[in-house]
Amino acid sequence: MTTSFAALEPAVEAHLDATRDARLASYLDFVRIPSISALPEHAEDCRRAAVWLADTLRAAGIEHVEVVESGGHPLVYGDWLHAEGAPTILVYGHYDVQPVDPLDQWTSPPFEPVVVGERLLGRGSSDDKSNIHIHVMATAAMLAVRGGLPLNVKFLFEGEEESTSIHLDPWLAANRERLAADLVVISDTGFFEGNIPAITTGLRGMMYAQVDVQGSPVDLHSGGYGGVVENPANALARMIAALKGPDGRVLIPGFYDDVVALTDADRSAFAALPFDEAEHARTIGVPTLVGEVGFTALERRGGRPTLDVNGIWGGFQGEGSKTIIPATAHAKISCRLVTAQDPDRIFELFRDFLGSISPPGVTTTVTSLGGGRPSLTPIDHPATQAAARGLAATFGEPPVYIREGGSIPVGASFETTLGLPVVLYGFPPPNDNAHAPDEWMDLGNYEAGIRAVVRIWEELADLPR
Ligand code: BES
Ligand code: MN
Ligand code: MN
């Protein structure tokens, strides 16, 4: 069913109607660029996405557009600063996307986007090209029809969010003046379960590490050596098992030291959201939800830290059997963190704990693959309330306030490095298959999102400075 929204003034709606096909074609062009930041062979594609975005910003009427070198995949900057006396917002999104494997589980090729009913299917169609495109198209419509924006805007789009934004943090610190603004809009979140408009007030942080376990220099015959040497895969399995108890608690000493406990008010806010755990399990397609005992699923997702194996490999992977003791075994392991856990400190605890339980006969190496801090933004901040009014006017109901389980590595930096308040909103539906096969965006949400951005900016324009 098409997402319903309140129309803007007739001239803007007429413009949006007349440009609908071109807009969709442009969105598809964006999704066609395989800007996978994690894979070095896609570096040129990331650059192409940045250049495409810069061209699209210019065509929309944005000025001082620049593809900016930051040491990694380029940033895209552009601004429009002619709303004298009005506030300035800094709008953030990311043009990079996640890898596409397992490829055979896609209904259609990930970078050949197709429209199926109300869905646009393709890698990045939702995360985060939808939100970027919505903002740029809303800007284009306002400039084309009204000849101006209600406030001053600086766009900052990056290409390394999905691989922990290692170059953006220092760049923010070095570009404080250029980024001067009254507040930051991060548009890289989405709607709540049931496709309910939402403002996100919390993100989890992240610690990501790779664990490499080395035994003998080469694979060994498991007949000749089984029972005689340590097996790196067995050892890795035992170490992973020691990281988390059956009650869902992480067993790394010190892991919970800095966790700020949920207050009664926090817990009431989670409980007030329209959410049914059994139905959620059905939607995901799992027999039941599990996790840390003593907390609801929404509390565990938005307000509690956790640890997960993201990938594990080693030894023989082919058809049939091969009798070896593998030389090595490996795992990618990440922790989702909450206030006030520090990713660097958690990495040290993780590394030291694995070091202490690594058995004789193997060597265990733990390498950091990056991270990000958790963040919380106050619901009662005037900017959050202004955004809420814009969403309410568009969708006919006030948004829900949610604490998300996902992470945006630089999310916290806008506040700590630039000293700016942050508002997080975006338009993908919650079941968009982000990071998974058949990622999709609801085109009703996309069109409604353009109207919502216009209204949110009008509301933000009236904020006292
Ligand atoms: N858009 C997501 C963050 C997100 C996820 C917000 C779910 C709200 C709900 C972002 O692109 C993302 O996937 N971030 C990564 C960061 C990681 C690679 C450091 C994540 O959360 O896994
Ligand atoms: Mn994202
Ligand atoms: Mn993502």
Side-chain angles (χ1 to χ4, degrees), residues 2 46 136 152 266 304 359 422:
T2 301
C46 290
V136 177
N152 302 297
D266 292 334
R304 297 293 298 173
V422 174

Side-chain angles (χ1 to χ4, degrees), residues 84-372:
E84 223 177 293
T88 301
I89 62 172
L90 175 62
V91 177
Y92 166 89
H94 64 91
Y95 67 75
D96 62 317
V97 302
Q98 288 266 328
V100 294
D101 57 290
L103 196 53
D104 60 341
Q105 286 177 34
W106 287 77
T107 327
S108 60
F111 296 112
E112 293 171 29
V114 287
V115 177
V116 182
E118 277 289 301
R119 294 182 174 202
L120 173 60
L121 223 68
R123 171 59 84 233
S125 60
S126 167
D127 183 9
D128 182 29
K129 288 177 174 173
S130 64
N131 287 320
I132 290 183
H133 208 259
I134 284 168
H135 278 84
V136 177
M137 293 300 123
T139 304
M142 283 185 268
L143 288 175
V145 178
R146 299 175 179 174
L149 303 176
L151 39 55
N152 302 297
V153 181
K154 297 178 177 179
F155 289 106
L156 180 65
F157 298 131
E158 72 151 316
E160 298 188 322
E161 194 275 343
E162 301 289 12
S163 34
T164 71
S165 301
I166 38 170
H167 297 95
L168 183 51
D169 247 334
W171 193 86
L172 288 181
N175 287 271
R176 281 197 190 89
E177 264 142 62
R178 184 181 197 175
L179 300 175
D182 295 286
L183 67 109
V184 176
V185 165
I186 294 182
S187 198
D188 186 25
T189 53
F191 282 14
F192 187 64
E193 265 59 34
N195 207 23
I196 301 172
I199 288 182
T200 295
T201 60
L203 291 169
R204 287 197 288 186
M206 147 98 44
M207 183 289 294
Y208 206 123
Q210 177 158 331
V211 180
D212 298 291
V213 183
Q214 177 85 49
S216 52
V218 290
D219 292 354
L220 299 172
H221 191 296
S222 67
Y225 300 90
V228 177
V229 299
E230 180 58 277
N231 179 319
N234 292 43
L236 177 59
R238 292 201 306 278
M239 286 190 269
I240 289 173
L243 291 170
K244 203 174 175 185
D247 58 357
R249 296 273 298 180
V250 176
L251 298 171
I252 301 169
F255 184 80
Y256 291 96
D257 282 0
D258 297 325
V259 172
V260 175
L262 292 174
T263 63
D264 288 344
D266 292 334
R267 302 193 80 168
S268 307
F270 279 119
L273 290 166
F275 186 78
D276 182 285
E277 296 203 3
E279 190 190 313
H280 194 58
R282 269 195 301 281
T283 315
I284 307 169
V286 293
T288 184
L289 302 182
V290 303
E292 189 184 6
V293 294
F295 296 94
T296 68
L298 288 180
E299 288 171 345
R300 299 197 302 269
R301 179 171 87 182
R304 297 293 298 173
T306 191
L307 178 148
D308 279 288
V309 175
N310 300 107
I312 180 167
W313 70 101
F316 180 58
Q317 317 273 318
E319 292 278 317
S321 62
K322 180 174 187 232
T323 47
I324 53 157
I325 293 179
T328 65
H330 314 266
K332 306 232 185 211
I333 298 178
S334 63
C335 292
R336 296 283 169 177
L337 311 176
V338 300
T339 312
Q341 288 176 298
D342 172 61
D344 297 334
R345 167 102 186 110
I346 296 295
F347 173 74
E348 285 164 14
L349 295 175
F350 176 79
R351 185 196 54 201
D352 294 351
F353 181 57
L354 281 179
S356 75
I357 61 172
S358 174
V362 294
T363 308
T364 301
T365 313
V366 183
T367 312
S368 171
L369 297 180

